[in-house]
Amino acid sequence: MFQTLAMFSTMPWWAWVGFLTFVATMLALDLGVFNRKAHEVSLKEALIWCAVWFSLAMGFNLIIAMQMPATEVSKPALEFFTAYLIELCLSVDNVFVFIVIFQYFRVEPRYQHRVLFWGIIGAVLMRALFIFAGISLINKFHWIIYVFGAFLIYTGIKLAQPKKEDGFDPEKNPAVKLARKLMPVTNQFDGGNFFTRINGKLFATPMFLVLLIVETTDVMFALDSIPAVIAITRNEFIVFTSNIFAILGLRSLYFAVSGVMKLFRFINIGLSVILVFVGTKMLLTYFGWHVPIGWSLSIIGGVLAASIAASVLIPEKKKS
């Protein structure tokens, strides 16, 4: 495993091991200590955990600044912060989908954290595969970066278009359809369990279907977020760690955003502008134009702040 990682990065193997150990430790503490009992996460608790994860990410960014000094070609600490900010922005869109999923299946609030916890473990593994595959492809076939750029612009334009109220149906998810064909599924929840036994026969519960949808939804979002971060840096360690820190904070972000949704009414417009900007940035490399990382950070941060400010300052239209 370590030899495989070394092939993709100039970072020493112990840096990878140290980071993966940190992730495993935090996940173990999360499930085994802080959330041993299922409970409904309050807005105050969610905001505290958002602050904790952000502080940990910034502490890690400080380590990067000390261990990977900036050069004329690369500014690792600034690249990490920009990549992390992009991931946080795109995570908000994940959150809105998660809210719809939980409402559709009527998942009790006290069990939502459990679903997101196991969903995040799967997301960490899938993101790792996507990141190393994506950067490996770009290193071998440079023209793929232009495909990524065009895809991000297309996604950004599509994201800005109004969504139909009934445009999302979890039951149409291919993974759900396949699960229903391969195993019996009960319509009844069994607490927070993914499987239950009825008359001695093993059944999947609706909670398992929710987990499948969360996992496959994250895969779809990864198709946007990973190319966007690769546009900022091709350092595999920075791409991977910024992704994982954003994913680790996704659960607390979900509970925080679901409590203050009015602050994010125009977030889709902001994300659309960010994706189009990042996609254009990738395409401009064809002409030898490289947008400085400082400019990228300023533009992305400004767009995010403007979308939140617009959500607060512009009155919401009352539905007739």
Side-chain angles (χ1 to χ4, degrees), residues 220-286:
M220 297 305 297
F221 279 108
L223 296 178
D224 297 337
S225 65
I226 291 176
V229 174
I230 291 176
I232 301 301
T233 176
R234 293 188 206 171
N235 184 304
E236 297 84 359
F237 188 73
I238 293 177
V239 175
F240 180 71
T241 53
S242 61
N243 257 266
I244 300 309
F245 265 112
I247 291 173
L248 290 175
L250 182 58
R251 286 158 300 157
S252 51
L253 183 64
Y254 163 78
F255 291 108
V257 170
S258 60
V260 290
M261 287 187 63
K262 290 185 178 180
L263 291 179
F264 298 94
R265 286 189 298 116
F266 292 107
I267 193 65
N268 274 4
I269 302 298
L271 293 179
S272 173
V273 174
I274 289 172
L275 288 176
V276 170
F277 163 70
V278 174
T280 303
K281 182 175 181 289
M282 297 177 89
L283 294 181
L284 287 176
T285 60
Y286 177 80

Side-chain angles (χ1 to χ4, degrees), residues 8-9 74 79 131 134-136 138-142 145-146 229-239 282 285 290:
F8 289 101
S9 176
S74 174
E79 290 171 357
I131 288 168
I135 294 179
S136 179
I138 289 178
N139 288 337
K140 290 184 178 180
F141 310 102
H142 180 74
I145 196 171
Y146 308 127
V229 174
I230 291 176
I232 301 301
T233 176
R234 293 188 206 171
N235 184 304
E236 297 84 359
F237 188 73
I238 293 177
V239 175
M282 297 177 89
T285 60
H290 297 276

